[in-house]
Amino acid sequence: MSEKQEIRYLKAEIAGIYPVKVAETGGEQTVFLLLLETPEWKDKALPIVIGESEGFSIQSALSGLKYERPLTHDLIVSILDALGVEVEKVSIDALLDNSVYTATLVLKREINGKTEEINIDTRPSDGIAIAVRTGAPIFVAEHLEKYARSMEEIGI
């Protein structure tokens, strides 16, 4: 996509998050499969493979679990709150080399009566973990539909 081309975004919801065991040298590793769906994609969801700790963090937030001490994403939200910064949204923007999704955490704050927007490059998993905790909406770039799959194709 050229920089001059406007990217259209669709509001997305988490369709599910599932732990998956994958073989690696010396044993197995657990990763999570995060599925994002939009009404426009009907029965398809965008699968994003994320790390175990990020998957655990998102699952915990979705379940409303609270811990005695803050997890990393809880800490980030506390810092943003203390600085008067609001999480406006997170967007999943592109797929690089058919393997790495890019995302943007969009923040806003008021300074001297003016609203300032701050765009932070983030991994989708971190952005979504923060969005779930703050109730901020999640958006996916419309052009990512070509990577969306039916639940049957995903094996869910």
Side-chain angles (χ1 to χ4, degrees):
M1 304 235 139
S2 72
E3 283 190 56
K4 294 180 192 231
Q5 205 171 17
E6 182 82 20
I7 298 175
R8 184 165 175 253
Y9 287 90
L10 306 171
K11 190 166 188 319
E13 299 292 333
I14 297 172
I17 183 163
Y18 305 94
V20 178
K21 298 275 187 198
V22 293
E24 68 170 29
T25 307
E28 284 185 335
Q29 175 187 6
T30 300
V31 297
F32 277 77
L33 184 62
L34 173 67
L35 302 176
L36 297 177
E37 64 184 0
T38 72
E40 292 84 353
W41 295 350
K42 298 186 176 51
D43 66 338
K44 295 190 296 184
L46 183 67
I48 302 176
V49 176
I50 63 174
E52 184 175 17
S53 61
E54 294 82 2
F56 174 78
S57 179
I58 293 168
Q59 268 191 334
S60 296
L62 288 171
S63 300
L65 293 176
K66 300 285 183 197
Y67 296 93
E68 191 172 326
R69 304 299 304 139
L71 299 176
T72 302
H73 298 108
D74 298 314
L75 173 64
I76 292 168
V77 169
S78 293
I79 292 168
L80 293 173
D81 285 345
L83 295 173
V85 177
E86 182 182 328
V87 178
E88 188 171 299
K89 65 183 173 184
V90 65
S91 62
I92 312 306
D93 306 313
L95 180 63
L96 304 176
D97 299 324
N98 286 326
S99 64
V100 177
Y101 283 95
T102 64
T104 305
L105 185 64
V106 180
L107 309 173
K108 69 177 181 180
R109 66 179 172 183
E110 293 265 337
I111 297 181
N112 299 325
K114 293 185 181 175
T115 302
E116 176 186 22
E117 184 177 282
I118 305 162
N119 294 310
I120 306 293
D121 182 33
T122 185
R123 296 182 300 178
S125 56
D126 291 324
I128 289 170
I130 292 167
V132 168
R133 284 167 169 74
T134 61
I138 301 165
F139 290 88
V140 296
E142 182 179 48
H143 69 269
L144 294 176
E145 181 179 8
K146 63 186 166 198
Y147 303 108
R149 300 288 177 258
S150 70
M151 295 298 192
E152 186 176 292
E153 286 177 282
I154 296 169
I156 305 280

